[in-house]
Amino acid sequence: SGGSPGPPPRGHGAPGAPELPPPRPARRPDGGASVLLILAGLAAGVSLLLRWLPGSELTGYDLVRRGFDDLAEGGVAELLGNGFWQPMAVVLGGAALFLLGLLVVLPARSHRFLGGLALIVALVAAIGVLVPLAAVGWAPDTIDTGFWFAVAVPALGLLGALKTVLTPPRYC
């Protein structure tokens, strides 16, 4: 909004004019990345309400709750051993992406640090989606609607993170 994409060249004023101060990055929100990251969080929330597996009445909430139960009873080894870490990675990653999307709305000179965090979170959520898909031979008939919303979490998260990381600062 009104800023130039890079710093202006030195000596751009009239001869004899006082030297202008060096340009500095403008503080601005990153609305596009914010929308993508917030949508990733909302997709995780919707996946909690829907069934992840056809023929099963277990919702995403049930799977995440069982993951927390396993974590409380047997620790990390139990959680990693039975596969309930994947729904937890997706849903908790979606919650983190939602919060990062809210932070990216705040004006700042650069949101690259938040974008880097979002990229890490989205990659963990992607692993949480790709591992069970690979286990069923990439067959789409073995998953239900809730899982498709879970697939949207890392997809939207990666897009939002890349938008934030790759957007250069604007100078004023």
Side-chain angles (χ1 to χ4, degrees), residues 33 36-37 115-116 118-120 122 156-166:
L36 291 166
L37 295 173
L119 187 61
I120 292 168
L156 292 167
L158 285 171
L159 289 173
L162 290 174
K163 161 73 172 84
T164 305
V165 169
L166 298 176

Side-chain angles (χ1 to χ4, degrees), residues 8 52 103 137:
W52 283 38
L103 289 175

Side-chain angles (χ1 to χ4, degrees), residues 57-155:
E57 292 303 314
L58 294 176
T59 63
Y61 175 77
D62 297 327
L63 297 173
V64 171
R65 190 186 68 223
R66 286 177 69 176
F68 276 115
D69 291 344
D70 287 347
L71 183 63
E73 292 172 8
V76 175
E78 178 73 21
L79 179 65
L80 294 176
N82 65 16
F84 284 112
W85 67 270
Q86 294 120 343
M88 289 180 64
V90 173
V91 171
L92 295 177
L97 291 170
F98 183 86
L99 293 175
L100 289 168
L102 293 177
L103 289 175
V104 170
V105 171
L106 300 174
R109 289 188 177 98
S110 174
H111 293 99
R112 288 185 175 170
F113 176 75
L114 295 175
L117 288 177
L119 187 61
I120 292 168
V121 170
L123 289 173
V124 170
I127 292 168
V129 167
L130 293 174
V131 168
L133 270 177
V136 296
W138 308 100
D141 58 336
T142 61
I143 57 178
D144 210 346
T145 311
F147 192 85
W148 286 115
F149 275 92
V151 169
V153 172

